[in-house]
Amino acid sequence: MVKNYFSQLDWYNIVEDIHSDQEWADFVEAHPGFVSCYILKKCDDGEPLAFIYLLKEYDNEMIVSIHGGGWSKPLLYYRGYILMLRTLMERGYKVRTYCNRDNSSAIRFSRSVGFIPYSYTECKVYMWVNYKRMTSSKLYKYYYSR
């Protein structure tokens, strides 16, 4: 049950073709091995902060696209997001993402952890990140170089 944490516009920017929690649950259940969904929670009290979902790319099982959103302050869920990215890359996955070109907050969020654009369409921007770029980001160093 994640949709109600977001405004209609924010939800559309995250999952534009699914309109309810039930549709989301049906989609995840109908595509095991293709889509994986995770809830990021605070360690101290278990309060949910954000969710992430991964989609395996059809052309290569070792490429995933990562998407999601949060309903708390971004600094609270950056750490979990970066940890997810690091784990994926350490296991040999290439990580991509994409969003609407007018979704400036998603673009800014992605770029802050090292994603760079590699392709644009009329509506979408496609980005990728590698391990070196991510570990060189200010946010990575803030959370993991202490």
Side-chain angles (χ1 to χ4, degrees):
M1 305 294 272
V2 293
K3 183 185 178 294
N4 290 337
Y5 284 106
F6 300 98
S7 70
Q8 191 67 28
L9 176 61
D10 288 342
W11 180 254
Y12 174 78
N13 278 327
I14 297 166
V15 187
E16 62 191 9
D17 55 352
I18 294 177
H19 307 290
S20 70
D21 281 318
Q22 187 59 54
E23 281 184 49
W24 177 251
D26 292 345
F27 174 72
V28 171
E29 190 174 309
H31 299 89
F34 170 68
V35 61
S36 302
C37 186
Y38 304 90
I39 302 295
L40 298 179
K41 297 179 179 182
K42 287 172 87 176
C43 290
D44 58 355
D45 63 6
E47 176 189 346
L49 304 168
F51 89 109
I52 294 173
Y53 69 97
L54 303 173
L55 299 173
K56 286 196 175 177
E57 298 281 333
Y58 287 113
D59 58 343
N60 186 323
E61 288 282 319
M62 294 305 290
I63 299 174
V64 294
S65 60
I66 189 167
H67 306 277
W71 46 86
S72 187
K73 295 179 182 177
L75 287 177
L76 293 177
Y77 51 85
Y78 265 117
R79 185 171 185 221
Y81 184 69
I82 291 169
L83 180 59
M84 174 72 78
L85 292 172
R86 185 174 75 184
T87 300
L88 288 165
M89 288 186 274
E90 286 175 347
R91 292 182 178 176
Y93 286 92
K94 292 182 181 179
V95 183
R96 300 176 180 171
T97 194
Y98 56 88
C99 63
N100 293 326
R101 286 180 76 156
D102 63 355
N103 189 347
S104 59
S105 61
I107 293 168
R108 192 170 42 254
F109 184 88
S110 297
R111 290 188 68 113
S112 70
V113 296
F115 279 90
I116 59 166
Y118 69 88
S119 181
Y120 293 89
T121 66
E122 186 176 315
C123 300
K124 303 274 187 205
V125 56
Y126 295 83
M127 296 178 270
W128 70 284
V129 66
N130 66 29
Y131 193 83
K132 182 178 180 183
R133 191 174 304 108
M134 181 192 65
T135 56
S136 298
S137 74
K138 288 180 184 178
L139 284 167
Y140 184 91
K141 290 176 182 177
Y142 175 77
Y143 285 114
Y144 293 103
S145 296
R146 294 185 204 188

